[in-house]
Amino acid sequence: MLLCKDWDNAQEASDLKKHGYHVCLFINADLLENPTQASVIPDHWIVLLSTIDKVNVDCCKLTCFSWGERRPVPKVGNLRIMHFEWNYYGYVACKF
C-alpha cells in the first residue's frame, strides 16, 4: 500500500535542495496539470530545481524539470498545500 507523504516530508526534501543535494520527487503527474484531484498511485518522477516555498498559509510553489522542460508548479497562481500532499509520495536525494 502506498501512502502520500506529508508537508513535513516535502520540506525535508526542500531543505536538502537548499543545501546542495540533487532531489527528485515521486508524484502523481496530476500535480503538474490538475492537482485538485486526489491521486491513487504515484506515476511520475520530477527533478526539483528550486525549494518548495510556502506562499501563504495554505499554498506553495516550486520549479521542477519534467518531460524535457523546466516547469513552474503551478503554471499560474498558487498550489494549495493540501492538493500538493494529495499527489506527493516522497523523494530521493543525493550529493556528489
Side-chain angles (χ1 to χ4, degrees):
M1 183 165 94
L2 294 170
L3 300 174
C4 292
K5 297 294 183 183
D6 61 10
W7 179 248
D8 289 339
N9 182 267
Q11 285 303 283
E12 185 178 289
S14 184
D15 288 343
L16 288 170
K17 177 64 182 167
K18 189 185 316 180
H19 289 97
Y21 282 75
H22 300 274
V23 179
C24 293
L25 305 181
F26 198 29
I27 64 166
N28 183 282
D30 286 348
L31 179 65
L32 302 174
E33 300 295 334
N34 183 26
T36 60
Q37 300 296 317
S39 65
V40 178
I41 57 169
D43 61 3
H44 192 61
W45 285 96
I46 59 174
V47 178
L48 188 60
L49 297 178
S50 71
T51 56
I52 304 170
D53 298 320
K54 199 170 195 179
V55 177
N56 57 38
V57 174
D58 67 346
C59 293
C60 65
K61 66 179 181 176
L62 61 103
T63 303
C64 71
F65 186 82
S66 177
W67 291 312
E69 65 183 15
R70 182 182 181 97
R71 302 169 62 106
V73 178
K75 286 185 179 182
V76 178
N78 294 316
L79 171 63
R80 294 196 60 202
I81 290 172
M82 174 180 66
H83 296 155
F84 175 86
E85 289 177 320
W86 286 352
N87 291 282
Y88 169 68
Y89 289 87
Y91 71 90
V92 294
C94 69
K95 192 170 191 178
F96 52 88

